[in-house]
Amino acid sequence: MAGLVNNLLILFLVSQNNCLGFRGPLSVFKRYKDATRSLSSECLGSDRPVISLGLSDFALDIRMPGVTPKQSDTYLCMSVPLPVDDEAYVVDFKPHASMDTVHHMLLFGCNEPSSTENYWDCDEGTCKDKSNILYAWARNAPPTRLPKGVGFRVGGETGGKFFVLQVHYGDISAFRDKHKDCSGVTLHLTHQKQPLIAGMYLMMSVSTVIPPGEKVVDADIACHYKRFPMHLFAYRVHTHRLGKVVSGYRVRNGQWTLIGRQSPQLPQAFYPVEHPVDVSYDDILAARCVFSGEGRTTETHIGGTANDEMCNFYIMYYMEAKHAVSYMTCTQNANPEMFRNIPQEANIPIPVKPDMLKMTHGHHEEIKDTDKSSLQLSKGEEELILDQDFHIEEAVEWPGLDLKLGQVSGLALDLENNLVVFHRGDHVWDENSFDSKFVYQQRGLGPIEQNTILVLNPSTAKLLHSTGKSLFYLPHGLSIDKNGNYWVTDVALHQVFKLGADAKEPLLTLGVALQPGSDKNHFCQPTDVAVDPITGSVYVSDGYCNSRIIQFSPNGLYIMQWGEETSLGRARPGQFRIPHSLALIPDFSQLCVADRENGRIQCFRLGTGEFVREIKHKSFGRELFAVSYAPGGLLFAVNGMPYPGEAEPAQGFVMNFSTGEIIDTFIPLRKRFEMPHDVVASEDKTVFVGDVHARTVWKFASTEKMEHRSVKKAGIEVQEIKDYDCFWKGGGGLNLGNFFASHKGYSRKGFDRLSTEGSDQEKDEDDGTDSEEEYSAPPPPPAPSSS
């Protein structure tokens, strides 16, 4: 049996990750115009969903062409040809899907789709040849993002010529109004060669039998790795109903290193590998699925229906381009004896609440009255669940990216929700700006001669008003109080100013000009200001060379301060290493501080300075630059560029304020973050990020807002999108239906449209979860700079 499996897998592995390639914009658009089919006007405003993102980058929009499923658990497929023949790299996926209508989406790459129709029933298959899963999205789970410098290689001589999108419509009650669905995914592609190539390693049990009533049944998989080194950055688990926990490990010299462990009854996302794991020649990859046969009256076998079972452990990895293999599989247990030493955690089920099961599987039967009590949530819990489906992405049509700005140090929103930018004009903060005692050394330049405070229309970036000329030397922080006054800091002057929106002179000045200090009357490079809308109290973070928060009265009288320099070892509560940004949370009477060099957020009670809690995540990296709060319970933050050898990228974060949990992360499509320095978010979840090195401001918006808008670029109208994921499935490749049907006790049902690449598909209304997590864990990035 093992020999047969290996032979079939060899045939299957002939295929590589196929996708798409690009040349120049004109050739792309010409070819795509000739090749694409017309789409419903409700979906895309054009039949050419390609948009230029620069000289070498493109976005390809792949959408269902306005479909209305007729019954629940319908699987529909559609294909899109590659825009050009040249080799290219898929570096990001952006989903457009609502959990109200779509259960999950899979995106495949292949050379020949199963149909030439605008769309078709996926029972006909996805591809006539072999296919690779490139992406997956599922309801109730966050999306996945490839690490920086990593891409799926597509097009060229070996890449596929088509993408095939499969959408599973679970509960179609949302289609009672007969509307047309345009769910799909937008790909970000680049013609620039990526040094690291992404791939998928699938560990899968093919022979597990679960006896009825058996309390614990283990399915073990293990293979020796015989290729060039690969680096693991994300994992995904999959079983059906009986699975309790799935764990994956690298075993080297008898030592077990955890890759990932998760309950398959939770949203089956691609979760980040928390600690970097590399796999080298002759290591062993091992996985265990723990099942329970309780409640079953007959044996349960591996199969494609919800009454069968599966034991799958997926690993996303990257390899050096010259050695890259896009897909690998392990279906055997090469060393059963080794599992006597598997860590005990692999045998411990992960408990899942019943209401979470309901959310994960997307059942469309009504909730019984007996279940209502367990589903009643507090207001905060309701907000948390809503936040879990929140996703933002760059508003690529916003022209503000083209503004000519100096170093952008501060952002705020005024009372009319206009964007206010604080920038440094022709001044820069560099290694010559200060001496060892923090005294500014470039006074001879005089103050900045340009207007440093710009008020912009948040939709068009049109300049509405400007001020701040000849007042500042090195602007830094900006906030706006409930009366519309500007509060700003200048790190060269070591001062804090209150300005009226039209005032030529400050209404209030704190600190002594050009004199650094640490007493009640002096600051040392103060970074930010926050004003309590209820009491009018003023809070100043001070700063680069002090480690404290100072509270002043509304008219500038010193009240109190707290904080101290970080001691050796782990930073304790109330200790700072550059308190860099402030966010006042009036809903909870708290002040949150971006403790920059400690890579964390600290929150304190207003008025007392009492420490409340710390928010710290590995994905923050070493530095957390800025934090902002939006009414409704969302906290936004941006981190710094990673240090050499570190993996966490510069990105934005969306968090649930109550729990500190990361709900979403975001990066730009146009350009890249160089040093994101400040972030501000509005109540409608529009987010702006200012970058001090890129000298620009990005706009991001929630996909709920962007979903029904179209943008025009290069003469092509493209509808913007909603969530995203990555996966595979298809009619080609190793067909498990043919294989299992020849073995006693196995049902062929459900396998005819199931391959190794797509072995997650189920046709039962009570099961089926495919998803992934939006995650970013790049290889060693460029060295950071500081300002």
Side-chain angles (χ1 to χ4, degrees):
M1 175 175 170
L4 176 58
V5 172
N6 288 335
N7 290 335
L8 291 170
L9 288 174
I10 289 172
L11 291 174
F12 168 70
L13 287 169
V14 171
S15 71
Q16 291 185 337
N17 269 343
N18 316 43
C19 280
L20 107 179
F22 287 105
R23 200 179 303 257
L26 292 178
S27 62
V28 171
F29 299 146
K30 181 179 185 302
R31 171 178 172 178
Y32 208 87
K33 179 179 180 181
D34 296 338
T36 52
R37 311 181 189 95
S38 61
L39 301 178
S40 165
S41 60
E42 294 185 30
C43 295
L44 299 173
S46 167
D47 61 353
R48 297 174 295 170
V50 179
I51 183 170
S52 172
L53 300 177
L55 294 177
S56 60
D57 286 24
F58 299 84
L60 176 65
D61 209 34
I62 302 174
R63 301 288 199 102
M64 276 293 161
V67 302
T68 304
K70 300 297 190 296
Q71 63 183 29
S72 294
D73 284 322
T74 294
Y75 289 76
L76 296 180
C77 290
M78 60 85 65
S79 66
V80 172
L82 301 184
V84 297
D85 295 323
D86 290 359
E87 183 176 271
Y89 302 84
V90 181
V91 295
D92 203 1
F93 307 86
K94 303 278 187 178
H96 310 272
S98 168
M99 60 181 289
D100 296 329
T101 56
V102 174
H103 184 269
H104 74 259
M105 299 188 300
L106 301 177
L107 182 70
F108 307 92
C110 65
N111 284 312
E112 187 176 6
S114 292
S115 174
T116 58
E117 299 296 324
N118 272 9
Y119 69 94
W120 65 92
D121 191 313
C122 298
D123 279 336
E124 301 174 25
T126 53
C127 298
K128 292 181 179 179
D129 62 329
K130 299 175 179 65
S131 61
N132 284 341
I133 289 183
L134 300 175
Y135 180 75
W137 177 91
R139 53 179 289 149
N140 299 315
T144 294
R145 184 170 290 142
L146 293 177
K148 182 180 179 181
V150 175
F152 281 102
R153 185 163 48 196
V154 299
E157 295 181 0
T158 58
K161 301 297 184 287
F162 285 86
F163 291 108
V164 176
L165 174 69
Q166 179 201 86
V167 178
H168 173 198
Y169 297 97
D171 177 5
I172 65 164
S173 59
F175 288 92
R176 290 170 183 159
D177 60 357
K178 307 297 182 185
H179 75 273
K180 297 183 183 299
D181 181 65
C182 311
S183 297
V185 60
T186 294
L187 307 183
H188 181 182
L189 297 107
T190 181
H191 194 61
Q192 296 179 1
K193 287 187 176 295
Q194 299 297 293
L196 303 167
I197 303 301
M200 194 81 69
Y201 193 108
L202 169 61
M203 307 186 72
M204 176 179 65
S205 173
V206 298
S207 58
T208 299
V209 178
I210 304 169
E214 191 75 23
K215 188 172 183 179
V216 178
V217 178
D218 296 333
D220 295 335
I221 315 158
C223 288
H224 287 274
Y225 184 73
K226 300 291 185 180
R227 294 183 180 272
F228 286 95
M230 64 177 177
H231 305 270
L232 316 184
F233 64 90
Y235 71 95
R236 176 183 183 267
V237 304
H238 179 78
T239 72
H240 295 179
R241 293 180 182 281
L242 303 186
K244 302 300 181 184
V245 62
V246 181
S247 307
Y249 297 88
R250 181 203 68 192
V251 185
R252 177 182 292 171
N253 299 324
Q255 296 296 313
W256 293 69
T257 299
L258 180 67
I259 299 170
R261 172 178 174 267
Q262 190 56 273
S263 167
Q265 306 308 323
L266 291 172
Q268 293 181 12
F270 274 98
Y271 294 93
V273 176
E274 288 192 12
H275 304 287
V277 178
D278 65 278
V279 180
S280 300
Y281 186 88
D282 221 24
D283 285 342
I284 296 175
L285 289 168
R288 167 170 284 181
C289 301
V290 177
F291 297 99
S292 173
E294 292 179 310
R296 292 289 173 96
T297 57
T298 59
E299 286 186 342
T300 304
H301 297 265
I302 298 296
T305 72
N307 290 325
D308 297 316
E309 264 305 334
M310 287 185 175
C311 170
N312 294 357
F313 187 78
Y314 296 84
I315 304 170
M316 273 192 179
Y317 62 86
Y318 60 80
M319 304 174 72
E320 290 186 21
K322 61 184 178 181
H323 303 309
V325 178
S326 63
Y327 180 73
M328 291 178 272
T329 305
C330 173
T331 62
Q332 59 179 307
N333 185 356
N335 188 355
E337 292 299 315
M338 67 180 287
F339 283 91
R340 293 181 178 180
N341 299 316
I342 193 170
Q344 185 60 28
E345 64 187 359
N347 303 312
I348 302 174
I350 296 176
V352 180
K353 295 180 179 180
D355 53 321
M356 193 62 186
L357 286 172
K358 178 78 68 175
M359 290 175 63
T360 300
H361 294 301
H363 303 185
H364 54 260
E365 71 271 15
E366 293 184 4
I367 300 173
K368 297 179 181 180
D369 291 341
T370 55
D371 293 332
K372 287 182 179 178
S373 61
S374 65
L375 295 176
Q376 289 177 346
L377 304 173
S378 69
K379 183 176 184 293
E381 290 172 322
E382 289 172 352
E383 290 174 349
L384 173 60
I385 290 177
L386 290 174
D387 290 345
Q388 296 291 7
D389 194 47
F390 175 74
H391 177 63
I392 66 170
E393 58 195 34
E394 184 187 353
V396 295
E397 80 281 12
W398 194 64
L401 209 62
D402 300 323
L403 292 171
K404 302 300 182 184
L405 302 170
Q407 292 183 330
V408 177
S409 62
L411 300 176
L413 295 172
D414 66 15
L415 302 185
E416 297 176 352
N417 234 28
N418 295 314
L419 175 65
V420 184
V421 179
F422 197 29
H423 74 115
R424 295 174 184 159
D426 58 3
H427 284 204
V428 296
W429 185 354
D430 58 25
E431 65 275 8
N432 300 313
S433 298
F434 296 89
D435 66 12
S436 61
K437 296 182 180 180
F438 310 107
V439 175
Y440 186 57
Q441 299 296 294
Q442 297 172 331
R443 284 171 286 181
L445 296 176
I448 299 168
E449 290 302 316
Q450 298 85 33
N451 282 317
T452 53
I453 299 175
L454 310 178
V455 182
L456 306 176
N457 182 298
S459 299
T460 66
K462 178 182 178 181
L463 180 64
L464 304 177
H465 176 63
S466 61
T467 188
K469 179 180 179 180
S470 301
L471 288 177
F472 307 111
Y473 285 79
L474 281 181
H476 199 277
L478 165 70
S479 65
I480 298 176
D481 64 24
K482 66 177 182 179
N483 297 316
N485 297 307
Y486 302 147
W487 290 81
V488 299
T489 71
D490 188 311
V491 291
L493 290 170
H494 305 287
Q495 288 180 301
V496 175
F497 302 93
K498 175 185 177 181
L499 297 166
D502 298 311
K504 302 298 182 182
E505 298 293 331
L507 301 176
L508 178 68
T509 301
L510 302 175
V512 181
L514 299 168
Q515 292 185 16
S518 56
D519 57 26
K520 297 178 181 180
N521 299 314
H522 291 80
F523 302 106
C524 193
Q525 297 177 342
T527 55
D528 204 6
V529 186
V531 181
D532 189 332
I534 299 174
T535 66
S537 293
V538 179
Y539 297 88
V540 177
S541 50
D542 179 40
Y544 280 90
C545 34
N546 287 328
S547 299
R548 61 181 179 171
I549 306 298
I550 310 175
Q551 180 183 352
F552 296 90
S553 70
N555 58 357
L557 296 177
Y558 173 90
I559 296 177
M560 63 171 291
Q561 70 179 47
W562 71 88
E564 61 182 22
E565 187 176 354
T566 300
S567 57
L568 295 176
R570 178 176 172 81
R572 298 195 302 269
Q575 293 185 336
F576 299 106
R577 186 174 284 125
I578 306 182
H580 194 259
S581 169
L582 299 177
L584 197 142
I585 295 87
D587 299 349
F588 296 86
S589 297
Q590 293 183 29
L591 179 73
C592 291
V593 183
D595 186 5
R596 180 175 132 172
E597 301 300 302
N598 285 325
R600 63 179 179 173
I601 299 169
Q602 294 192 74
C603 297
F604 303 89
R605 299 278 182 209
L606 289 175
T608 67
E610 176 190 357
F611 175 80
V612 177
R613 62 172 174 152
E614 170 191 275
I615 301 174
K616 186 177 178 68
H617 296 280
K618 181 177 180 294
S619 53
F620 286 173
R622 287 201 200 182
E623 299 176 337
L624 192 82
F625 270 69
V627 62
S628 177
Y629 177 78
L634 292 180
L635 201 61
F636 297 82
V638 289
N639 65 350
M641 291 295 291
Y643 283 68
E646 295 184 348
E648 305 304 336
Q651 59 187 321
F653 302 88
V654 186
M655 290 164 280
N656 179 289
F657 176 77
S658 299
T659 66
E661 177 185 8
I662 294 176
I663 296 166
D664 191 24
T665 60
F666 56 94
I667 59 173
L669 276 174
R670 300 177 295 168
K671 298 186 179 180
R672 293 184 184 275
F673 283 150
E674 295 181 28
M675 183 182 275
H677 196 264
D678 201 9
V679 61
V680 64
S682 66
E683 190 168 358
D684 68 353
K685 303 179 180 68
T686 298
V687 181
F688 294 93
V689 176
D691 193 305
V692 73
H693 280 187
R695 302 189 180 198
T696 194
V697 179
W698 281 275
K699 178 181 178 180
F700 300 85
S702 67
T703 51
E704 290 84 353
K705 292 178 59 181
M706 300 171 71
E707 190 173 16
H708 300 295
R709 289 200 315 240
S710 295
V711 301
K712 283 202 170 185
K713 189 152 184 173
I716 298 172
E717 192 175 52
V718 182
Q719 184 155 349
E720 301 190 58
I721 56 187
K722 186 161 176 159
D723 287 64
Y724 56 93
D725 282 62
C726 85
F727 251 127
W728 2 312
K729 170 178 181 319
L734 170 60
N735 191 298
L736 298 181
N738 295 330
F739 174 71
F740 286 117
S742 64
H743 289 77
K744 183 179 179 180
Y746 290 90
S747 166
R748 178 177 178 132
K749 181 185 178 184
F751 271 117
D752 287 333
R753 58 180 180 149
L754 197 66
S755 70
T756 328
E757 302 99 324
S759 54
D760 288 336
Q761 177 176 306
E762 303 122 47
K763 254 307 218 185
D764 182 89
E765 69 179 34
D766 288 3
D767 204 29
T769 54
D770 287 286
S771 69
E772 78 176 39
E773 181 168 34
E774 175 180 4
Y775 169 63
S776 197
S785 54
S786 58
S787 289

